[in-house]
Amino acid sequence: MTGTLSPWPQIRQGAKEHPVPTLQYLLRARGRTVTVDGIFGPRTDAAVRAFQQEKGLAVDGIVGPNTWNALIIQVKKGSEGDAVRGVQEEFQFRNLSGDPEQGPAVDGIFGPETDAAVRGFQSAIHADVPSMAVDGIVGPMTWQALVSGMLSF
């Protein structure tokens, strides 16, 4: 029996912690001015609603599957910017060592360390979800697995 990806989380104003920082990095990557503080407050809510309106989505301030799918940006080795920071934030979220030096730094540069982390994550998901490609490219499936909290403890 093969597994499936965990569903996209639904988050809204009042949410804190994971995956709010990732949402905030993706909003920044989409040109919104938000502070990445892990708190889904009024400014993040306003940025979400403006993004939803711009994309022709239901303007409800709730970040669910449709909004996540519109927000994500495919990144891979060589990519730079806030979308890459969102990926790196996901690996810091999974870093149980207590040492932020472990795992990729949240520096917005998709280099060898981020590439290795992405491929390792994809490989682990692929064991249960064979349709997950192990290619180092953070596309829709990898984003969904990351944001939904798969392989976090």
Side-chain angles (χ1 to χ4, degrees):
M1 173 157 152
T2 59
T4 56
L5 292 178
S6 296
W8 287 103
Q10 280 206 352
I11 59 172
R12 61 182 57 135
Q13 190 164 340
K16 291 182 170 69
E17 308 303 325
H18 183 265
V20 177
T22 303
L23 166 65
Q24 292 168 328
Y25 279 123
L26 286 168
L27 286 166
R28 289 171 61 97
R30 293 288 186 177
R32 305 287 169 209
T33 305
V34 294
T35 302
V36 179
D37 60 6
I39 299 166
F40 196 139
R43 289 181 181 207
T44 299
D45 182 68
V48 166
R49 289 172 188 271
F51 178 80
Q52 289 172 327
Q53 184 165 15
E54 176 186 297
K55 294 295 180 185
L57 301 167
V59 182
D60 56 9
I62 298 169
V63 182
N66 294 337
T67 302
W68 282 116
N69 276 311
L71 266 173
I72 59 170
I73 297 170
Q74 180 174 295
V75 293
K76 61 185 190 286
K77 196 168 182 181
S79 298
E80 291 187 18
D82 281 319
V84 174
R85 285 183 186 88
V87 171
Q88 293 165 333
E89 175 68 36
E90 287 294 327
F91 288 110
Q92 281 300 323
F93 169 69
R94 287 166 177 76
N95 175 5
L96 302 175
S97 71
D99 177 3
E101 299 295 311
Q102 300 295 314
V106 182
D107 61 7
I109 300 166
F110 200 129
E113 199 171 3
T114 301
D115 184 62
V118 167
R119 288 173 189 273
F121 179 79
Q122 290 173 328
S123 184
I125 298 291
H126 178 81
D128 287 329
V129 185
S131 56
M132 172 67 76
V134 182
D135 57 8
I137 298 170
V138 184
M141 278 187 77
T142 303
W143 270 115
Q144 183 175 337
L146 286 167
V147 170
S148 68
M150 291 180 80
L151 300 185
S152 58
F153 302 94

